[in-house]
Amino acid sequence: MIELSKSERKDIKVEINGRVYQRRVEARRLLSDFLREDCGLTGTHVGCEHGVCGACTVLVGGVAVRSCLIFAVQVDGQQIITVEGLDQDQWGVILQEEFSRWHALQCGFCTPGILMSSREFLSSHPDASKEDIKAMLSGHLCRCTGYSGIVQAVMSAAQRIKEESE
Ligand code: FES
Ligand code: FES
C-alpha cells in the first residue's frame, strides 16, 4: 500500500516498450498523463478520463489496464506496453495489418486502446468467437466506424494467429 500525500513526489522506474524510464512524479499523476507528458508516448489517447471509453488502454504486466484510472506510482517497477510497442511482437503486427486491411478506423482516436485490449484478448482467447470479440469490444467507444470493420479485423487477426501457431 502506497502512502503519499497528493502533492508528494516519488521517483519511479518503469520499463515501457523495452526501454527504461526513470521519472519523479507527483503521487496524483495519472498513468495516462505520465505516458503522454512525461515519457512523450502520445499514442495512448485520453478521452473520457474516467474509465468509460477505453481509449487510454495499455498493457501493464500483460494485462489490459485503463491508464486514466491508475496512478503512475502504482506501476513503479512494472513492464508496460503501449501502442508504440505493439510492433515488437508478431501478434501486434498482425493486428495492425488487419486493422489496415479492413479499414477498421477513421479518425483513429479509439484505435490504440482497442488494439491493446485486442492484443491481450487474443493471448487468452485463441478460439474466440465473433460474439466473444464483440463482448470484448463492448468496453470501447468508437464514434466513427460502426464497429463492423473493427470486429472483422480482430476476427481476421485471430484466424491468422491461429493458422500461424499450428
Ligand atoms: S480515457 Fe481512460 S477510459 Fe476513457
Ligand atoms: S475511429 Fe474515430 S473514434 Fe474510433
Side-chain angles (χ1 to χ4, degrees):
M1 184 74 167
I2 301 163
E3 290 188 21
L4 293 170
S5 67
K6 275 193 200 170
S7 58
E8 198 170 335
R9 296 171 81 84
K10 183 179 188 292
D11 290 319
I12 62 169
K13 189 174 173 182
V14 188
E15 185 184 312
I16 309 171
N17 305 329
R19 179 182 155 191
V20 174
Y21 293 76
Q22 231 168 329
R23 301 282 188 273
R24 174 163 288 201
V25 295
E26 280 192 358
R28 62 186 167 189
R29 191 73 161 151
L30 294 173
L31 176 58
S32 49
D33 293 335
F34 171 75
L35 292 170
R36 290 177 54 82
E37 295 171 24
D38 300 340
C39 302
L41 297 167
T42 53
T44 298
H45 292 166
V46 175
C48 66
E49 264 192 299
H50 59 270
V52 174
C53 73
C56 66
T57 305
V58 299
L59 303 187
V60 177
V63 177
V65 166
R66 302 204 163 191
S67 61
C68 71
L69 289 185
I70 62 171
F71 297 115
V73 292
Q74 292 177 278
V75 300
D76 185 21
Q78 303 221 43
Q79 289 187 325
I80 296 178
I81 307 289
T82 67
V83 72
E84 289 92 343
L86 205 55
D87 61 357
Q88 292 176 4
D89 80 287
Q90 192 195 356
W91 292 16
V93 170
I94 288 173
L95 262 171
Q96 289 177 90
E97 287 174 352
E98 294 307 315
F99 267 65
S100 171
R101 184 156 80 101
W102 291 99
H103 306 291
L105 64 151
Q106 288 182 35
C107 78
F109 194 86
C110 66
T111 312
I114 291 177
L115 285 170
M116 300 317 290
S117 285
S118 300
R119 177 65 187 82
E120 184 218 29
F121 177 79
L122 292 178
S123 307
S124 48
H125 298 79
D127 296 311
S129 66
K130 185 174 187 177
E131 291 312 308
D132 294 333
I133 290 168
K134 284 166 87 171
M136 178 272 292
L137 290 170
S138 67
H140 289 267
L141 296 180
C142 175
R143 291 167 183 82
C144 299
T145 70
Y147 293 94
S148 58
I150 300 173
V151 172
Q152 187 58 58
V154 180
M155 281 174 50
S156 197
Q159 183 62 34
R160 271 182 67 189
I161 289 167
K162 196 170 174 188
E163 287 167 8
E164 292 184 19
S165 305
E166 286 170 356

